[in-house]
Amino acid sequence: MHLDWGIANVQTAFDNGDGGQTIDRTMDMPKMTERERLADLEARQRKMAEEVEKSRRTLRGKYAALIPELAVENLTEREFRDVLNAAIRCGGAAAVTALRALPEAALPTPAVTSDNPKSSRRDGPATSMA
C-alpha cells in the first residue's frame, strides 16, 4: 500500500456572520518531509512502547495482588522463583498439566496450622530447575 504524503485538500465551512449562508473554503495542507514523517513515526512508536509498558505493569500488579492469598511461606524464595519461571517458560497450561500428573505422595502437605503442628518444610538446600 502506497501512502501519498502530498498536498491534501481540506474543506472547511465558515459562518459569514449573518446567520444565513456558510462560506466553503479549501485549504492546502503542506507536504510532510521524509524527516518530519520519520520524527512523527518515532514519536508514535515511543508512545506505543510506553502504553505497552504501562499495560504490562498493570497486569503484573493484578497477578501480584493474588500472592497474599497463596501459602508461599511453604517455599523458599528460590523455590518460588524457580517454580514461577518454569511455569512461565513452558506455559501455564503445560505447567498445570504436569503438576496435576504428580502422584499424591509428591504433593506438599498443608501448611502449619494450630491443628497441624508439623511443617511440610524440607531441611536442605533448594534445587534449581534451570
Side-chain angles (χ1 to χ4, degrees), residues 74 109-112 116-122:
N74 292 336
T109 57
V112 176
N116 182 9
K118 291 186 177 181
S119 171
S120 64
R121 293 284 325 166
R122 296 186 313 262

Side-chain angles (χ1 to χ4, degrees), residues 63-64 66-68 70-88 121 126-127 129:
Y63 278 68
L66 298 173
I67 299 300
L70 303 175
V72 295
E73 62 274 6
N74 292 336
L75 302 171
T76 64
E77 287 183 30
R78 183 170 182 171
E79 289 170 336
F80 179 74
R81 183 180 297 273
D82 287 347
V83 166
L84 285 178
N85 281 330
I88 291 168
R121 293 284 325 166
T127 57
M129 296 181 71

Side-chain angles (χ1 to χ4, degrees), residues 31 39 41 84:
K31 182 176 180 180
L41 291 172
L84 285 178

Side-chain angles (χ1 to χ4, degrees), residues 31-38:
K31 182 176 180 180
M32 195 180 230
T33 67
E34 287 298 314
R35 185 177 301 233
E36 291 169 331
R37 181 174 173 259
L38 178 62

Side-chain angles (χ1 to χ4, degrees), residues 54-73:
K54 182 180 175 185
S55 294
R56 181 176 287 127
R57 289 187 185 280
T58 300
L59 180 61
R60 288 179 179 179
K62 287 180 182 179
Y63 278 68
L66 298 173
I67 299 300
E69 299 173 16
L70 303 175
V72 295
E73 62 274 6

